[in-house]
Amino acid sequence: MGFHREPNTYVGHVKIKVQDLQRSLQYYQEVIGFQILERTDTSAKLTTDGKSSVLSLEQPDNALPKEGKTTGLYHFALLLPSRSDLANIVRHFAQLGIRIGSSDHLVSEALYLSDPDGNGIEIYADRPASVWSWVNEEVQMAVDPLNFEDLLAENQQATWTGLPADTVMGHIHLHVSELKKTEEFYTKGLGFEVVNRFGTRALFISTGKYHHHIGLNTWNGVGAPPPPANSVGLESFSLILPSDEARKQVVSDLKQIGATVVEDGDVWVTTDPSGNRILLQHA
């Protein structure tokens, strides 16, 4: 989990909008394995360790269903501590009869599913960084079939007790309206490096040579509009910068490229060129 602590910049928390908070809480507890850290009538913070939150849910007034062909959340990705944890959650999903997608990305093994509102979820385990392949500063990733037989040979005695306490928000993958200004925003403004270009319609960025802390794609169409404010989907995500000094530098860099940054208490808030809201925090 060294890629998700200082001196790296990484996604620490994701906040999503749902239509029915009670329905979503049941799903995120019983299917995904979160616990509730805090709750109000219209929102909840979810936890795996009983102390901190990596995911929050919010039910807006007059919440609209998820719209297609817009910018916003493609998926958020929960990084499990080990491969045996991934095998364990596969068995759990099988017992519940949950349908999942899957992929071997070379750098990681991943499962894909959607919550009751259609918010995309990835749950994955990384392969050791020592076996990742880099060619000309790009990490090699693929979309190969996952070898379930080999995966399920891991730790067959384990019993499901929910998400492991040290699960982290591994990355977020976003639908954006175009890539040129988006790349400038995330690299020159936020300080990320492009580590993989997936054709002409997606790129993956990170700090500290992770395979990606953020994915960006135009698969919903170049020029895709943002969804309505009260629509299901992404409300915001938090970037954790290594220090207050690093955050001040990022705020300066964002202003330099013409991005808007607003101070809101102890948090600085910015918005990428596609309308995705980002909270700038520090470790």
Side-chain angles (χ1 to χ4, degrees):
M1 302 292 181
F3 294 105
H4 298 84
R5 62 168 69 106
E6 65 273 11
N8 297 312
T9 297
Y10 56 93
V11 179
H13 182 270
V14 172
K15 186 174 186 179
I16 59 171
K17 293 171 285 187
V18 300
Q19 276 197 289
D20 183 331
L21 182 63
Q22 187 54 46
R23 177 182 68 176
S24 294
L25 285 174
Q26 183 176 358
Y27 176 86
Y28 278 101
Q29 290 176 93
E30 296 177 6
V31 177
I32 304 299
F34 277 106
Q35 306 153 43
I36 298 174
L37 183 64
E38 295 176 20
R39 170 154 190 203
T40 70
D41 289 342
T42 57
S43 66
K45 291 182 178 180
L46 304 181
T47 184
T48 59
D49 62 5
K51 296 177 288 188
S52 59
S53 174
V54 296
L55 180 70
S56 293
L57 311 178
E58 176 183 81
Q59 181 183 316
D61 291 339
N62 304 312
L64 298 173
K66 180 180 173 67
E67 289 196 10
K69 302 303 180 186
T70 61
T71 61
L73 184 71
Y74 179 47
H75 61 244
F76 63 83
L78 301 169
L79 174 57
L80 303 178
S82 71
R83 192 172 192 245
S84 64
D85 294 318
L86 190 68
N88 201 13
I89 204 167
V90 168
R91 296 187 198 100
H92 165 67
F93 288 155
Q95 287 176 341
L96 293 180
I98 302 294
R99 294 185 63 179
I100 55 173
S102 62
S103 193
D104 183 334
H105 294 306
L106 304 181
V107 295
S108 63
E109 294 171 290
L111 312 175
Y112 294 93
L113 64 168
S114 295
D115 76 4
D117 289 289
N119 290 307
I121 305 167
E122 177 181 345
I123 299 173
Y124 72 112
D126 277 335
R127 287 201 168 94
S130 58
V131 304
W132 302 351
S133 177
W134 291 81
V135 177
N136 297 328
E137 300 300 308
E138 284 204 16
V139 65
Q140 302 304 292
M141 295 194 285
V143 189
D144 293 339
L146 185 64
N147 186 337
F148 278 100
E149 186 176 351
D150 185 63
L151 176 63
L152 292 173
E154 290 270 344
N155 197 12
Q156 296 181 27
Q157 307 308 311
T159 55
W160 168 255
T161 57
L163 288 171
D166 44 359
T167 299
V168 300
M169 188 60 70
H171 65 266
I172 192 168
H173 194 151
L174 303 169
H175 289 297
V176 296
S177 59
E178 59 79 56
L179 288 180
K180 188 177 180 184
K181 288 180 182 174
T182 301
E183 180 176 337
E184 179 187 57
F185 174 87
Y186 282 96
T187 56
K188 293 182 180 177
L190 291 174
F192 285 91
E193 292 181 306
V194 176
V195 289
N196 182 278
R197 295 182 190 275
F198 197 73
T200 59
R201 299 186 65 189
L203 55 91
F204 297 89
I205 60 177
S206 75
T207 60
K209 294 298 182 188
Y210 190 46
H211 55 73
H212 65 296
H213 289 110
I214 301 177
L216 304 159
N217 75 70
T218 56
W219 298 333
N220 273 352
V222 173
N230 59 332
S231 158
V232 159
L234 181 68
E235 196 282 327
S236 63
F237 66 95
S238 299
L239 285 179
I240 312 300
L241 291 125
S243 65
D244 191 36
E245 291 73 24
R247 182 171 64 167
K248 287 174 181 171
Q249 183 62 55
V250 160
V251 168
S252 173
D253 292 343
L254 286 167
K255 290 178 178 177
Q256 192 74 31
I257 62 168
T260 301
V261 192
V262 178
E263 192 171 7
D264 184 7
D266 188 41
V267 179
W268 287 87
V269 183
T270 189
T271 305
D272 78 6
S274 300
N276 296 305
R277 190 165 176 262
I278 305 165
L279 311 185
L280 303 174
Q281 299 175 307
H282 64 83

